[in-house]
Amino acid sequence: MSVIVYTENWDGLFKKQTFEIATYASKLAEMLNTDSIAISIGNVAEEELGKLGNHGIKQIISVTDDKLKHFDGQLYTKVIADIAVKESAEVLVLANNNCGKALAPRLSVRLQAAIASAVHELPESVNPFKIKKRVFSGNAVSLNELKTKTKILTLAQNSIDIEEMPEAAAIETYTPDLGDLVSAIEVQETEKQTGKVLLTDAEIVVSGGRGMKSPDNWAPLLELAELLDGATACSRPVSDEGWRPHEEHTGQTGKIVAPNVYFAIGISGATQHLAGVSSSKYIIAINNDKDAPIFEAAQYGIVGDAAKILPQLVEAVKELKSS
Amino acid sequence: MNILVCISHVPDTTTKVKFSENNTKLDTAGIQWVINPWDELSLTRALELKDDAASGVKKVSVAHVGLANTEPTIRKALAIGADDAYRVNAEAFDAHQVAAELAEVIKAGSFDIILCGIESSDYNGSNVGGMLAEFLGYPSVSGISHLGIEQEKVVITREIDGGKQQLTLPVPFVGIVQKGIAKEPRIAAMRGIMQARTKPIHVSEPKAADAQTSVLNFEPPEPRADCKFIDPENPKELITLLQNEAKVI
């Protein structure tokens, strides 16, 4: 028996979310009286793999194969499912990101394993297996029972604290049995943002809405984000108007984010916007309408004009950094 | 080329959800039901492709797993422009069951591109598309923000963490679609609404796939603490509070 965690890498490196799922898998393994095993696909140096051992991982299975160079749901599913069977996985844990969301349902069918996606805490009980998840876009939580022998969980980002649980993790290489399987997908081009904090990774997000009045008013917002090592975001009307790129749209139909701090500046807080940001630890609202629904979701608020308040916040952060 | 769009029937996204029977069931009283927003965008894109003769798309169908009371949602998809619809007559309790039933519809039909929204706005599982692809043994691409057909080849943009990828792949495949695929959902015109009344809905009985999960109960999320208001004449106080009280910067 085991708990298996699939650890994705970005150009050979892990991210904070990797250590979150490693911590989660190790704590779950404790609940099940078993060990946590990590699977890594692609070229990751031993030193980087070894970091997983700091978070309770007992064994690391490293898979490299040219056919696995680009992410392909079918091929990756085959590799992970084969290892899960070999290691008698009782639970598989993945991140609730693009890759995790693509793999978990395929693995669920392949392994006849029930799935709970975007969970944000450990199971309430493991026998029967009961776990909570957010539903109705953050407007409710459901307690679910997973009734199959094998289970699959995807963990929402930034929902648990990373813990140090040092283990001397053994690294094992694994040669996948892909037979004549080849990827049907031909990747023509990959564009990557560089030099910017990714919205989905950011601890602090500074987001602007229609209350910013014009795309020309964004400079202090961008400056505040940069000073705080944060990412910038926007509401749907702002991206629809073309004031900011679509990649920045947070909300139900845009990106779902859960940073430590979410600044909602000139955003009224429509249900659809809150659906994408309500899991943030702190929401800070700045809006000139004191009745805006965003203040019901926020912990700190300022009723006032963003154009006047933003430069003062920038100044305050600068003072803080120089003190 | 034929496109099948899988649609989910969900409460309008502005609904204040309530629960009944000791918080074990969704209280459906007064709920306005709509096509899941991402499925509606997928349908819009499928219809845009059909409108473009060069794409070679001949037919756009929709499929749904649900009882007869969900037919108004299916009619809405037909009114927007789908040619016909498939309904599996079952009340589904989880994504596994939905995907297993949809797979049967697809195996019995002739579809080249199967589109699903990235998630449904009710249970937010993000699972049906991937499960469906696995049941069918088809390739799948998730996070699709653009789908085109150029010289009989499917051209896709998929969103990856921190960027995007352009790719091509042969049909059949399952595409899991997110924001960007179409600008605005297409709205039914009066003519479409009239035509929808006579478009066929093919109803089939379920093959009785079992649900693998069950919802034991619902609860509202934990309430947040009341908002602490800071004097707009002294906004710097906010930064002090974030540093010393919340300890987040």
Side-chain angles (χ1 to χ4, degrees), chain B residues 20-67:
Chain B
S20 61
E21 296 179 38
N22 229 351
N23 284 334
T24 57
K25 290 228 156 51
L26 175 68
D27 181 355
T28 55
I31 287 185
Q32 190 85 18
W33 296 89
V34 298
I35 305 173
N36 179 42
W38 291 272
D39 304 345
E40 205 178 15
L41 289 172
S42 310
L43 175 61
T44 300
R45 183 61 191 150
L47 294 169
E48 286 170 1
L49 286 169
K50 192 188 155 201
D51 289 346
D52 173 9
S55 75
V57 173
K58 296 275 180 279
K59 194 172 157 197
V60 174
S61 308
V62 294
H64 172 69
V65 180
L67 297 175

Tab-separated table of all heavy atoms in Angstrom, chain B residues 20-67:
chain	number	residue	atom	x	y	z
B	20	SER	N	-31.625	21.660	1.261
B	20	SER	CA	-32.819	21.166	1.955
B	20	SER	C	-32.519	19.781	2.514
B	20	SER	O	-31.413	19.246	2.322
B	20	SER	CB	-34.006	21.130	0.989
B	20	SER	OG	-33.709	20.261	-0.077
B	21	GLU	N	-33.520	19.187	3.161
B	21	GLU	CA	-33.401	17.845	3.744
B	21	GLU	C	-32.137	17.716	4.582
B	21	GLU	O	-31.252	16.897	4.299
B	21	GLU	CB	-33.475	16.752	2.657
B	21	GLU	CG	-34.836	16.750	1.977
B	21	GLU	CD	-34.961	15.699	0.881
B	21	GLU	OE1	-34.427	14.580	1.058
B	21	GLU	OE2	-35.582	16.014	-0.143
B	22	ASN	N	-32.111	18.569	5.621
B	22	ASN	CA	-30.971	18.526	6.533
B	22	ASN	C	-29.637	18.788	5.825
B	22	ASN	O	-28.631	18.115	6.099
B	22	ASN	CB	-30.930	17.167	7.224
B	22	ASN	CG	-30.783	17.338	8.714
B	22	ASN	OD1	-30.553	18.460	9.188
B	22	ASN	ND2	-30.906	16.241	9.439
B	23	ASN	N	-29.645	19.723	4.887
B	23	ASN	CA	-28.433	20.085	4.149
B	23	ASN	C	-27.843	18.945	3.334
B	23	ASN	O	-26.633	18.882	3.110
B	23	ASN	CB	-27.355	20.649	5.084
B	23	ASN	CG	-27.656	22.066	5.493
B	23	ASN	OD1	-28.347	22.791	4.782
B	23	ASN	ND2	-27.158	22.457	6.650
B	24	THR	N	-28.681	18.014	2.884
B	24	THR	CA	-28.133	16.933	2.060
B	24	THR	C	-28.481	17.123	0.591
B	24	THR	O	-27.920	16.466	-0.277
B	24	THR	CB	-28.664	15.552	2.503
B	24	THR	OG1	-30.097	15.593	2.450
B	24	THR	CG2	-28.189	15.192	3.906
B	25	LYS	N	-29.429	18.002	0.300
B	25	LYS	CA	-29.832	18.196	-1.100
B	25	LYS	C	-29.823	19.675	-1.449
B	25	LYS	O	-30.062	20.527	-0.603
B	25	LYS	CB	-31.267	17.669	-1.308
B	25	LYS	CG	-31.377	16.167	-1.242
B	25	LYS	CD	-32.187	15.642	-2.426
B	25	LYS	CE	-31.855	14.208	-2.748
B	25	LYS	NZ	-31.921	13.311	-1.596
B	26	LEU	N	-29.581	19.960	-2.732
B	26	LEU	CA	-29.685	21.331	-3.206
B	26	LEU	C	-31.169	21.690	-3.239
B	26	LEU	O	-31.988	20.924	-3.744
B	26	LEU	CB	-29.087	21.413	-4.617
B	26	LEU	CG	-29.222	22.762	-5.313
B	26	LEU	CD1	-28.355	23.810	-4.619
B	26	LEU	CD2	-28.820	22.649	-6.775
B	27	ASP	N	-31.507	22.832	-2.663
B	27	ASP	CA	-32.893	23.292	-2.707
B	27	ASP	C	-33.112	23.951	-4.066
B	27	ASP	O	-32.583	25.030	-4.337
B	27	ASP	CB	-33.109	24.292	-1.559
B	27	ASP	CG	-34.530	24.817	-1.514
B	27	ASP	OD1	-35.313	24.468	-2.423
B	27	ASP	OD2	-34.845	25.565	-0.578
B	28	THR	N	-33.877	23.293	-4.918
B	28	THR	CA	-33.997	23.776	-6.302
B	28	THR	C	-35.108	24.807	-6.468
B	28	THR	O	-35.295	25.326	-7.570
B	28	THR	CB	-34.239	22.602	-7.274
B	28	THR	OG1	-35.386	21.889	-6.804
B	28	THR	CG2	-33.052	21.681	-7.348
B	29	ALA	N	-35.824	25.113	-5.371
B	29	ALA	CA	-36.931	26.072	-5.485
B	29	ALA	C	-36.407	27.422	-5.964
B	29	ALA	O	-35.446	27.955	-5.421
B	29	ALA	CB	-37.621	26.219	-4.133
B	30	GLY	N	-37.030	27.933	-6.993
B	30	GLY	CA	-36.690	29.277	-7.475
B	30	GLY	C	-35.399	29.358	-8.275
B	30	GLY	O	-34.984	30.442	-8.666
B	31	ILE	N	-34.746	28.220	-8.519
B	31	ILE	CA	-33.481	28.280	-9.273
B	31	ILE	C	-33.750	28.421	-10.769
B	31	ILE	O	-34.617	27.761	-11.330
B	31	ILE	CB	-32.604	27.021	-9.010
B	31	ILE	CG1	-32.016	27.106	-7.600
B	31	ILE	CG2	-31.492	26.893	-10.051
B	31	ILE	CD1	-31.045	25.995	-7.268
B	32	GLN	N	-33.016	29.315	-11.376
B	32	GLN	CA	-33.045	29.491	-12.823
B	32	GLN	C	-31.941	28.593	-13.377
B	32	GLN	O	-30.795	28.702	-12.949
B	32	GLN	CB	-32.723	30.964	-13.094
B	32	GLN	CG	-32.922	31.414	-14.491
B	32	GLN	CD	-34.364	31.822	-14.734
B	32	GLN	OE1	-35.115	32.072	-13.793
B	32	GLN	NE2	-34.751	31.856	-15.982
B	33	TRP	N	-32.268	27.680	-14.302
B	33	TRP	CA	-31.249	26.762	-14.822
B	33	TRP	C	-30.705	27.258	-16.150
B	33	TRP	O	-31.450	27.769	-16.974
B	33	TRP	CB	-31.828	25.361	-14.977
B	33	TRP	CG	-32.233	24.774	-13.662
B	33	TRP	CD1	-33.450	24.903	-13.055
B	33	TRP	CD2	-31.411	24.014	-12.770
B	33	TRP	NE1	-33.436	24.267	-11.840
B	33	TRP	CE2	-32.208	23.698	-11.637
B	33	TRP	CE3	-30.084	23.561	-12.805
B	33	TRP	CZ2	-31.715	22.957	-10.564
B	33	TRP	CZ3	-29.601	22.822	-11.742
B	33	TRP	CH2	-30.406	22.530	-10.632
B	34	VAL	N	-29.433	27.114	-16.311
B	34	VAL	CA	-28.786	27.587	-17.543
B	34	VAL	C	-27.812	26.525	-18.060
B	34	VAL	O	-27.508	25.553	-17.372
B	34	VAL	CB	-27.993	28.904	-17.307
B	34	VAL	CG1	-28.928	30.027	-16.871
B	34	VAL	CG2	-26.874	28.710	-16.286
B	35	ILE	N	-27.329	26.750	-19.289
B	35	ILE	CA	-26.240	25.914	-19.821
B	35	ILE	C	-24.971	26.357	-19.096
B	35	ILE	O	-24.722	27.556	-18.953
B	35	ILE	CB	-26.048	26.134	-21.340
B	35	ILE	CG1	-27.364	25.907	-22.094
B	35	ILE	CG2	-24.941	25.249	-21.891
B	35	ILE	CD1	-27.296	26.283	-23.584
B	36	ASN	N	-24.188	25.403	-18.623
B	36	ASN	CA	-22.923	25.732	-17.958
B	36	ASN	C	-22.115	26.724	-18.817
B	36	ASN	O	-21.958	26.507	-20.020
B	36	ASN	CB	-22.155	24.423	-17.763
B	36	ASN	CG	-20.830	24.625	-17.102
B	36	ASN	OD1	-20.702	25.393	-16.163
B	36	ASN	ND2	-19.821	23.932	-17.608
B	37	PRO	N	-21.651	27.842	-18.227
B	37	PRO	CA	-21.039	28.902	-19.042
B	37	PRO	C	-19.936	28.446	-20.003
B	37	PRO	O	-19.876	28.908	-21.137
B	37	PRO	CB	-20.458	29.865	-18.006
B	37	PRO	CG	-21.091	29.536	-16.705
B	37	PRO	CD	-21.710	28.187	-16.802
B	38	TRP	N	-19.070	27.529	-19.576
B	38	TRP	CA	-17.982	27.101	-20.462
B	38	TRP	C	-18.526	26.241	-21.612
B	38	TRP	O	-17.998	26.259	-22.715
B	38	TRP	CB	-16.917	26.305	-19.705
B	38	TRP	CG	-16.157	27.138	-18.756
B	38	TRP	CD1	-15.028	27.867	-19.031
B	38	TRP	CD2	-16.462	27.368	-17.376
B	38	TRP	NE1	-14.627	28.523	-17.893
B	38	TRP	CE2	-15.464	28.244	-16.877
B	38	TRP	CE3	-17.449	26.921	-16.522
B	38	TRP	CZ2	-15.444	28.665	-15.550
B	38	TRP	CZ3	-17.440	27.349	-15.218
B	38	TRP	CH2	-16.453	28.211	-14.735
B	39	ASP	N	-19.588	25.475	-21.336
B	39	ASP	CA	-20.186	24.639	-22.389
B	39	ASP	C	-20.836	25.545	-23.429
B	39	ASP	O	-20.809	25.268	-24.629
B	39	ASP	CB	-21.244	23.706	-21.794
B	39	ASP	CG	-20.686	22.839	-20.668
B	39	ASP	OD1	-19.448	22.762	-20.552
B	39	ASP	OD2	-21.478	22.261	-19.903
B	40	GLU	N	-21.417	26.653	-22.942
B	40	GLU	CA	-22.062	27.607	-23.833
B	40	GLU	C	-21.021	28.246	-24.756
B	40	GLU	O	-21.267	28.457	-25.936
B	40	GLU	CB	-22.732	28.671	-22.961
B	40	GLU	CG	-23.882	29.374	-23.588
B	40	GLU	CD	-24.519	30.370	-22.627
B	40	GLU	OE1	-23.908	30.709	-21.585
B	40	GLU	OE2	-25.632	30.806	-22.922
B	41	LEU	N	-19.834	28.529	-24.200
B	41	LEU	CA	-18.761	29.092	-25.029
B	41	LEU	C	-18.268	28.063	-26.045
B	41	LEU	O	-17.986	28.398	-27.193
B	41	LEU	CB	-17.596	29.570	-24.153
B	41	LEU	CG	-17.855	30.830	-23.322
B	41	LEU	CD1	-16.694	31.080	-22.367
B	41	LEU	CD2	-18.055	32.053	-24.208
B	42	SER	N	-18.189	26.782	-25.626
B	42	SER	CA	-17.763	25.719	-26.550
B	42	SER	C	-18.750	25.618	-27.698
B	42	SER	O	-18.362	25.481	-28.864
B	42	SER	CB	-17.722	24.345	-25.873
B	42	SER	OG	-17.017	24.398	-24.681
B	43	LEU	N	-20.030	25.670	-27.358
B	43	LEU	CA	-21.077	25.576	-28.379
B	43	LEU	C	-20.961	26.760	-29.342
B	43	LEU	O	-21.052	26.593	-30.564
B	43	LEU	CB	-22.457	25.543	-27.706
B	43	LEU	CG	-23.679	25.574	-28.632
B	43	LEU	CD1	-23.685	24.353	-29.559
B	43	LEU	CD2	-24.981	25.598	-27.824
B	44	THR	N	-20.714	27.935	-28.781
B	44	THR	CA	-20.572	29.128	-29.618
B	44	THR	C	-19.426	28.947	-30.613
B	44	THR	O	-19.575	29.204	-31.807
B	44	THR	CB	-20.330	30.371	-28.733
B	44	THR	OG1	-21.447	30.512	-27.860
B	44	THR	CG2	-20.155	31.627	-29.556
B	45	ARG	N	-18.290	28.449	-30.119
B	45	ARG	CA	-17.148	28.253	-31.016
B	45	ARG	C	-17.453	27.199	-32.081
B	45	ARG	O	-17.097	27.356	-33.249
B	45	ARG	CB	-15.897	27.853	-30.214
B	45	ARG	CG	-14.646	27.699	-31.057
B	45	ARG	CD	-14.277	29.016	-31.755
B	45	ARG	NE	-13.235	28.851	-32.762
B	45	ARG	CZ	-13.132	29.616	-33.842
B	45	ARG	NH1	-14.000	30.603	-34.054
B	45	ARG	NH2	-12.162	29.420	-34.712
B	46	ALA	N	-18.133	26.117	-31.673
B	46	ALA	CA	-18.486	25.062	-32.627
B	46	ALA	C	-19.356	25.639	-33.737
B	46	ALA	O	-19.154	25.342	-34.932
B	46	ALA	CB	-19.217	23.928	-31.908
B	47	LEU	N	-20.297	26.514	-33.366
B	47	LEU	CA	-21.201	27.103	-34.365
B	47	LEU	C	-20.458	28.090	-35.260
B	47	LEU	O	-20.719	28.174	-36.458
B	47	LEU	CB	-22.389	27.772	-33.672
B	47	LEU	CG	-23.327	26.795	-32.938
B	47	LEU	CD1	-24.318	27.556	-32.070
B	47	LEU	CD2	-24.071	25.893	-33.924
B	48	GLU	N	-19.499	28.830	-34.679
B	48	GLU	CA	-18.685	29.738	-35.506
B	48	GLU	C	-17.936	28.940	-36.568
B	48	GLU	O	-17.832	29.360	-37.714
B	48	GLU	CB	-17.658	30.487	-34.634
B	48	GLU	CG	-18.251	31.591	-33.764
B	48	GLU	CD	-17.251	32.138	-32.733
B	48	GLU	OE1	-16.073	31.690	-32.685
B	48	GLU	OE2	-17.670	33.013	-31.959
B	49	LEU	N	-17.411	27.773	-36.170
B	49	LEU	CA	-16.677	26.943	-37.126
B	49	LEU	C	-17.619	26.426	-38.217
B	49	LEU	O	-17.266	26.393	-39.394
B	49	LEU	CB	-15.992	25.768	-36.417
B	49	LEU	CG	-14.759	26.144	-35.589
B	49	LEU	CD1	-14.316	24.988	-34.705
B	49	LEU	CD2	-13.601	26.564	-36.500
B	50	LYS	N	-18.829	26.052	-37.800
B	50	LYS	CA	-19.784	25.544	-38.794
B	50	LYS	C	-20.172	26.649	-39.784
B	50	LYS	O	-20.355	26.392	-40.978
B	50	LYS	CB	-21.030	24.999	-38.082
B	50	LYS	CG	-21.929	24.198	-39.008
B	50	LYS	CD	-23.244	23.829	-38.358
B	50	LYS	CE	-24.296	23.606	-39.420
B	50	LYS	NZ	-25.650	23.734	-38.903
B	51	ASP	N	-20.276	27.881	-39.290
B	51	ASP	CA	-20.632	29.011	-40.165
B	51	ASP	C	-19.565	29.271	-41.223
B	51	ASP	O	-19.843	29.855	-42.260
B	51	ASP	CB	-20.790	30.306	-39.335
B	51	ASP	CG	-22.030	30.262	-38.472
B	51	ASP	OD1	-22.882	29.380	-38.708
B	51	ASP	OD2	-22.149	31.110	-37.553
B	52	ASP	N	-18.346	28.856	-40.918
B	52	ASP	CA	-17.237	29.079	-41.849
B	52	ASP	C	-17.109	27.833	-42.729
B	52	ASP	O	-16.606	26.802	-42.300
B	52	ASP	CB	-15.953	29.308	-41.021
B	52	ASP	CG	-14.722	29.392	-41.881
B	52	ASP	OD1	-14.868	29.438	-43.131
B	52	ASP	OD2	-13.615	29.397	-41.317
B	53	ALA	N	-17.566	27.957	-43.975
B	53	ALA	CA	-17.614	26.797	-44.869
B	53	ALA	C	-16.243	26.122	-45.011
B	53	ALA	O	-16.146	24.907	-45.152
B	53	ALA	CB	-18.144	27.216	-46.229
B	54	ALA	N	-15.181	26.921	-44.938
B	54	ALA	CA	-13.833	26.380	-45.126
B	54	ALA	C	-13.433	25.400	-44.025
B	54	ALA	O	-12.519	24.597	-44.189
B	54	ALA	CB	-12.833	27.529	-45.181
B	55	SER	N	-14.127	25.457	-42.874
B	55	SER	CA	-13.739	24.592	-41.759
B	55	SER	C	-14.121	23.135	-42.020
B	55	SER	O	-13.538	22.217	-41.448
B	55	SER	CB	-14.414	25.050	-40.466
B	55	SER	OG	-15.790	24.673	-40.480
B	56	GLY	N	-15.120	22.920	-42.883
B	56	GLY	CA	-15.565	21.554	-43.154
B	56	GLY	C	-16.456	20.981	-42.063
B	56	GLY	O	-16.779	19.797	-42.085
B	57	VAL	N	-16.877	21.814	-41.104
B	57	VAL	CA	-17.775	21.315	-40.054
B	57	VAL	C	-19.194	21.300	-40.622
B	57	VAL	O	-19.709	22.311	-41.087
B	57	VAL	CB	-17.715	22.207	-38.788
B	57	VAL	CG1	-18.774	21.779	-37.770
B	57	VAL	CG2	-16.329	22.126	-38.171
B	58	LYS	N	-19.802	20.097	-40.593
B	58	LYS	CA	-21.125	19.935	-41.206
B	58	LYS	C	-22.243	19.986	-40.176
B	58	LYS	O	-23.346	20.398	-40.462
B	58	LYS	CB	-21.194	18.580	-41.939
B	58	LYS	CG	-20.218	18.465	-43.104
B	58	LYS	CD	-20.820	19.056	-44.374
B	58	LYS	CE	-19.875	18.955	-45.557
B	58	LYS	NZ	-18.852	20.007	-45.565
B	59	LYS	N	-21.949	19.506	-38.998
B	59	LYS	CA	-23.030	19.348	-38.034
B	59	LYS	C	-22.510	19.596	-36.619
B	59	LYS	O	-21.407	19.199	-36.273
B	59	LYS	CB	-23.546	17.910	-38.136
B	59	LYS	CG	-24.873	17.686	-37.451
B	59	LYS	CD	-25.377	16.281	-37.797
B	59	LYS	CE	-26.336	15.823	-36.735
B	59	LYS	NZ	-26.558	14.394	-36.768
B	60	VAL	N	-23.339	20.267	-35.808
B	60	VAL	CA	-23.008	20.485	-34.394
B	60	VAL	C	-24.137	19.891	-33.555
B	60	VAL	O	-25.296	20.269	-33.706
B	60	VAL	CB	-22.844	21.991	-34.088
B	60	VAL	CG1	-22.637	22.206	-32.590
B	60	VAL	CG2	-21.668	22.579	-34.877
B	61	SER	N	-23.794	18.943	-32.716
B	61	SER	CA	-24.796	18.315	-31.847
B	61	SER	C	-24.450	18.620	-30.396
B	61	SER	O	-23.307	18.963	-30.091
B	61	SER	CB	-24.784	16.791	-32.027
B	61	SER	OG	-24.892	16.442	-33.382
B	62	VAL	N	-25.441	18.473	-29.515
B	62	VAL	CA	-25.148	18.591	-28.090
B	62	VAL	C	-25.584	17.314	-27.390
B	62	VAL	O	-26.480	16.617	-27.878
B	62	VAL	CB	-25.847	19.817	-27.426
B	62	VAL	CG1	-25.298	21.116	-27.971
B	62	VAL	CG2	-27.355	19.757	-27.573
B	63	ALA	N	-24.922	16.990	-26.281
B	63	ALA	CA	-25.303	15.799	-25.511
B	63	ALA	C	-25.375	16.172	-24.044
B	63	ALA	O	-24.609	17.017	-23.563
B	63	ALA	CB	-24.275	14.689	-25.719
B	64	HIS	N	-26.302	15.535	-23.351
B	64	HIS	CA	-26.528	15.871	-21.941
B	64	HIS	C	-27.047	14.627	-21.220
B	64	HIS	O	-27.786	13.831	-21.793
B	64	HIS	CB	-27.556	17.005	-21.871
B	64	HIS	CG	-28.025	17.307	-20.489
B	64	HIS	ND1	-27.201	17.869	-19.538
B	64	HIS	CD2	-29.215	17.102	-19.871
B	64	HIS	CE1	-27.872	18.000	-18.407
B	64	HIS	NE2	-29.097	17.535	-18.580
B	65	VAL	N	-26.645	14.463	-19.980
B	65	VAL	CA	-27.181	13.381	-19.154
B	65	VAL	C	-28.104	14.026	-18.125
B	65	VAL	O	-27.650	14.819	-17.288
B	65	VAL	CB	-26.057	12.603	-18.442
B	65	VAL	CG1	-26.633	11.478	-17.587
B	65	VAL	CG2	-25.063	12.046	-19.466
B	66	GLY	N	-29.393	13.708	-18.204
B	66	GLY	CA	-30.332	14.307	-17.262
B	66	GLY	C	-31.744	13.829	-17.532
B	66	GLY	O	-32.036	13.273	-18.600
B	67	LEU	N	-32.609	14.052	-16.555
B	67	LEU	CA	-34.012	13.633	-16.707
B	67	LEU	C	-34.757	14.649	-17.597
B	67	LEU	O	-34.209	15.677	-17.971
B	67	LEU	CB	-34.662	13.512	-15.330
B	67	LEU	CG	-34.021	12.430	-14.425
B	67	LEU	CD1	-34.632	12.464	-13.033
B	67	LEU	CD2	-34.159	11.038	-15.043
